[in-house]
Short mmCIF file of all heavy atoms in Angstrom, two decimals:
data_model
loop_
_atom_site.label_atom_id
_atom_site.label_comp_id
_atom_site.label_asym_id
_atom_site.label_seq_id
_atom_site.Cartn_x
_atom_site.Cartn_y
_atom_site.Cartn_z
N SER X 7 92.84 93.15 85.80
CA SER X 7 92.49 91.73 85.92
C SER X 7 93.19 91.09 87.12
O SER X 7 92.59 90.27 87.83
CB SER X 7 92.86 90.98 84.65
OG SER X 7 94.25 91.07 84.41
N GLN X 8 94.44 91.47 87.39
CA GLN X 8 95.15 90.93 88.56
C GLN X 8 94.52 91.44 89.85
O GLN X 8 94.37 90.69 90.82
CB GLN X 8 96.62 91.31 88.52
CG GLN X 8 97.40 90.58 87.47
CD GLN X 8 98.86 91.00 87.46
OE1 GLN X 8 99.29 91.85 88.24
NE2 GLN X 8 99.63 90.41 86.56
N TRP X 9 94.14 92.70 89.87
CA TRP X 9 93.48 93.25 91.05
C TRP X 9 92.16 92.54 91.31
O TRP X 9 91.83 92.18 92.45
CB TRP X 9 93.25 94.75 90.87
CG TRP X 9 92.43 95.33 91.97
CD1 TRP X 9 92.87 95.75 93.18
CD2 TRP X 9 91.02 95.54 91.95
NE1 TRP X 9 91.82 96.22 93.93
CE2 TRP X 9 90.66 96.09 93.19
CE3 TRP X 9 90.02 95.31 91.01
CZ2 TRP X 9 89.36 96.42 93.52
CZ3 TRP X 9 88.72 95.64 91.34
CH2 TRP X 9 88.39 96.19 92.58
N ALA X 10 91.38 92.29 90.26
CA ALA X 10 90.09 91.62 90.40
C ALA X 10 90.27 90.19 90.91
O ALA X 10 89.48 89.72 91.74
CB ALA X 10 89.35 91.62 89.07
N GLU X 11 91.31 89.50 90.45
CA GLU X 11 91.58 88.15 90.96
C GLU X 11 91.91 88.17 92.45
O GLU X 11 91.41 87.34 93.21
CB GLU X 11 92.75 87.52 90.19
CG GLU X 11 92.41 87.11 88.78
CD GLU X 11 93.64 86.59 88.03
OE1 GLU X 11 94.62 86.19 88.69
OE2 GLU X 11 93.59 86.59 86.80
N ARG X 12 92.73 89.13 92.88
CA ARG X 12 93.06 89.24 94.30
C ARG X 12 91.81 89.55 95.12
O ARG X 12 91.61 88.99 96.19
CB ARG X 12 94.10 90.34 94.54
CG ARG X 12 95.51 89.93 94.26
CD ARG X 12 96.52 90.93 94.76
NE ARG X 12 96.28 92.29 94.28
CZ ARG X 12 95.91 93.33 95.05
NH1 ARG X 12 95.75 93.16 96.33
NH2 ARG X 12 95.71 94.52 94.53
N ARG X 13 90.95 90.44 94.60
CA ARG X 13 89.73 90.78 95.31
C ARG X 13 88.81 89.57 95.42
O ARG X 13 88.23 89.31 96.47
CB ARG X 13 89.00 91.92 94.60
CG ARG X 13 87.78 92.40 95.39
CD ARG X 13 86.84 93.21 94.57
NE ARG X 13 86.28 92.35 93.53
CZ ARG X 13 85.65 92.80 92.48
NH1 ARG X 13 85.50 94.09 92.28
NH2 ARG X 13 85.16 91.97 91.58
N ASP X 14 88.68 88.82 94.34
CA ASP X 14 87.78 87.67 94.33
C ASP X 14 88.26 86.56 95.26
O ASP X 14 87.45 85.78 95.76
CB ASP X 14 87.60 87.14 92.91
CG ASP X 14 86.81 88.10 92.04
OD1 ASP X 14 86.17 89.03 92.60
OD2 ASP X 14 86.84 87.94 90.80
N LEU X 15 89.56 86.45 95.48
CA LEU X 15 90.07 85.43 96.40
C LEU X 15 89.59 85.68 97.83
O LEU X 15 89.48 84.74 98.62
CB LEU X 15 91.61 85.41 96.38
CG LEU X 15 92.25 84.82 95.14
CD1 LEU X 15 93.76 84.98 95.20
CD2 LEU X 15 91.87 83.36 94.99
N ARG X 16 89.31 86.92 98.16
CA ARG X 16 88.90 87.26 99.52
C ARG X 16 87.40 87.16 99.74
O ARG X 16 86.94 87.26 100.88
CB ARG X 16 89.37 88.67 99.87
CG ARG X 16 90.87 88.73 100.03
CD ARG X 16 91.31 90.11 100.42
NE ARG X 16 92.10 90.60 99.31
CZ ARG X 16 92.35 91.85 99.05
NH1 ARG X 16 91.86 92.78 99.81
NH2 ARG X 16 93.06 92.19 98.01
N ILE X 17 86.63 86.97 98.69
CA ILE X 17 85.18 86.88 98.84
C ILE X 17 84.85 85.66 99.70
O ILE X 17 85.37 84.58 99.50
CB ILE X 17 84.48 86.79 97.47
CG1 ILE X 17 84.63 88.11 96.75
CG2 ILE X 17 83.01 86.41 97.61
CD1 ILE X 17 84.06 88.13 95.34
N GLY X 18 83.99 85.86 100.68
CA GLY X 18 83.61 84.79 101.59
C GLY X 18 84.42 84.74 102.86
O GLY X 18 84.10 83.99 103.78
N ARG X 19 85.46 85.55 102.97
CA ARG X 19 86.28 85.59 104.19
C ARG X 19 85.44 86.11 105.35
O ARG X 19 84.63 87.00 105.20
CB ARG X 19 87.48 86.49 103.97
CG ARG X 19 88.40 86.54 105.17
CD ARG X 19 89.64 87.31 104.87
NE ARG X 19 90.48 86.48 103.98
CZ ARG X 19 91.59 86.90 103.44
NH1 ARG X 19 92.02 88.11 103.65
NH2 ARG X 19 92.30 86.09 102.67
N LEU X 20 85.62 85.51 106.52
CA LEU X 20 84.86 85.90 107.71
C LEU X 20 85.76 86.65 108.68
O LEU X 20 86.97 86.43 108.72
CB LEU X 20 84.30 84.67 108.41
CG LEU X 20 83.32 83.80 107.62
CD1 LEU X 20 82.94 82.58 108.43
CD2 LEU X 20 82.09 84.58 107.22
#
Side-chain angles (χ1 to χ4, degrees):
S7 61
Q8 288 179 359
W9 173 83
E11 287 176 21
R12 279 191 307 112
R13 186 197 65 195
D14 291 345
L15 288 175
R16 289 182 245 159
I17 291 176
R19 182 174 287 174
L20 299 176

